Amino acid sequence: MTSKKLAMLAGVSQSTVSRVINGCPGVSEKKRRRVLELVEQYHFELDDNARSLRTRMLSRVGVVLDRDFVGFDINLFWATIYSRLHIAFQEEGYTVFPVYGLKCEERVILNRLIGQKQTDKIIIVSINDLYPWEALEPLLAKKIPFVCISCRSADDCYYPDREVNMVAIDFYEAGRKAGEFLYERGHRKIALHIDENNISSSGRCIGFCEVLEGKEESCQVRRINGRTASPAISFQGGFETAEANLELLRGVTAVFAVNDASALGMISAFQKHGLRVPEDISVMGLNNIPMCTWWDPQLTTVAFDIDKIARHACGILLGGEQKVNTVITPELIIRDSVK
């Protein structure tokens, strides 16, 4: 019994059969019951190895996380993106697995992935710098579909005259939205938490400062550097940064943190030292991770539609489109941490 014949007996498509067997959503209960009845009746099993031999396709998507990825427990924004990619591709019958860059050169990582024939589609997550062109050339030479997810560049130019698909996240606009919001709320003395090791933080900072520089009423922006024992993007990094700069932060009315995790760490430090949020100091984050609503007060932040990022990456890879540049713009999420 093949999946094609099983699909014909059930009156559904082969992809529906695959989704039912893999436990994926998006199938009506009636169809799911019909497929499962036939699976039990004919003792059917979806043979991925046989399918791979017939089609030369592995139905596996490798998500390459570059050398700046420090772990799912710390890079919570990128970890959530990976989770949504896993769901989006699983619904299409694909298996998703992470490939860690660690300290390897980009070309070595991709060549190893190609040489070991572990995947037939690739997503490259560039947390800071884009992968060099020479690292991507083997993918094009072997016609392996891939898409890059990275920070949006100022000119929307990534690999000039090259057929490269991009999903670009606009951290610059996120900074502008945060600056505009804090200004509208009456804040004129603001601390800007920076992370010198993070390109997305750079775009965020530029957008934030530019929008405030253009205001009629001047603002004082004090930069605080996340040079702590813990990564600046972590909860502990935010806590340590707030404690190390407590006197400076007592002189401002708001702080825009590197991300949500660091913002929550700052709130914890402020509360430890008797500062009320938002009465004494307002705190704003970035990325809208789930923990934003677990805290008291709940965190005001700037969010990106992570499901949209995953859908676009999935659509580009499975749709076979060439040179598609998709920009993911942010939205403001107003909660309780900013007065």
Side-chain angles (χ1 to χ4, degrees), residues 20-189:
V20 171
I21 293 172
N22 288 311
C24 300
V27 181
S28 71
E29 189 57 33
K30 182 179 179 181
K31 290 181 179 179
R32 187 180 298 279
R33 282 200 306 270
R34 176 60 178 155
V35 170
L36 290 175
E37 286 171 2
L38 291 169
V39 165
E40 185 175 356
Q41 180 181 342
Y42 290 100
H43 307 288
F44 177 81
E45 291 184 6
L46 192 61
D47 191 341
D48 285 334
N49 290 328
R51 180 177 59 185
S52 297
L53 289 171
R54 288 196 305 271
T55 64
R56 301 283 184 186
M57 298 293 283
L58 299 170
S59 295
R60 302 184 76 204
V61 179
V63 180
V64 181
L65 304 158
D66 71 15
R67 67 180 71 187
D68 294 307
F69 183 80
V70 293
F72 284 118
D73 58 332
I74 294 176
N75 287 100
L76 299 178
F77 174 65
W78 296 103
T80 307
I81 289 177
Y82 175 82
S83 176
R84 296 297 197 280
L85 287 169
H86 188 279
I87 293 170
F89 280 99
Q90 187 183 51
E91 289 176 353
E92 299 297 330
Y94 283 80
T95 300
V96 173
F97 65 97
V99 180
Y100 300 101
L102 300 178
K103 298 302 179 182
C104 296
E105 290 185 7
E106 293 87 350
R107 190 183 185 99
V108 172
I109 299 167
L110 295 177
N111 279 339
R112 184 184 302 154
L113 201 57
I114 295 168
Q116 294 176 352
K117 298 181 180 179
Q118 297 176 2
T119 180
D120 44 46
K121 299 181 189 298
I122 293 175
I123 296 174
I124 298 171
V125 176
S126 304
I127 294 174
N128 282 325
D129 297 326
L130 289 172
Y131 269 39
W133 171 247
E134 55 270 19
L136 303 182
E137 283 184 309
L139 299 179
L140 291 173
K142 293 190 176 291
K143 298 182 179 180
I144 297 175
F146 70 96
V147 60
C148 297
I149 301 177
S150 190
C151 306
R152 185 183 186 183
S153 70
D155 57 2
D156 285 324
C157 185
Y158 305 96
Y159 298 99
D161 303 319
R162 309 291 188 180
E163 298 296 319
V164 176
N165 296 310
M166 294 291 306
V167 176
I169 303 173
D170 198 344
F171 287 100
Y172 169 83
E173 183 60 26
R176 289 186 61 86
K177 281 186 178 291
E180 190 73 50
F181 175 70
L182 291 177
Y183 185 86
E184 289 175 356
R185 287 296 178 100
H187 295 282
R188 299 296 181 266
K189 293 183 178 180

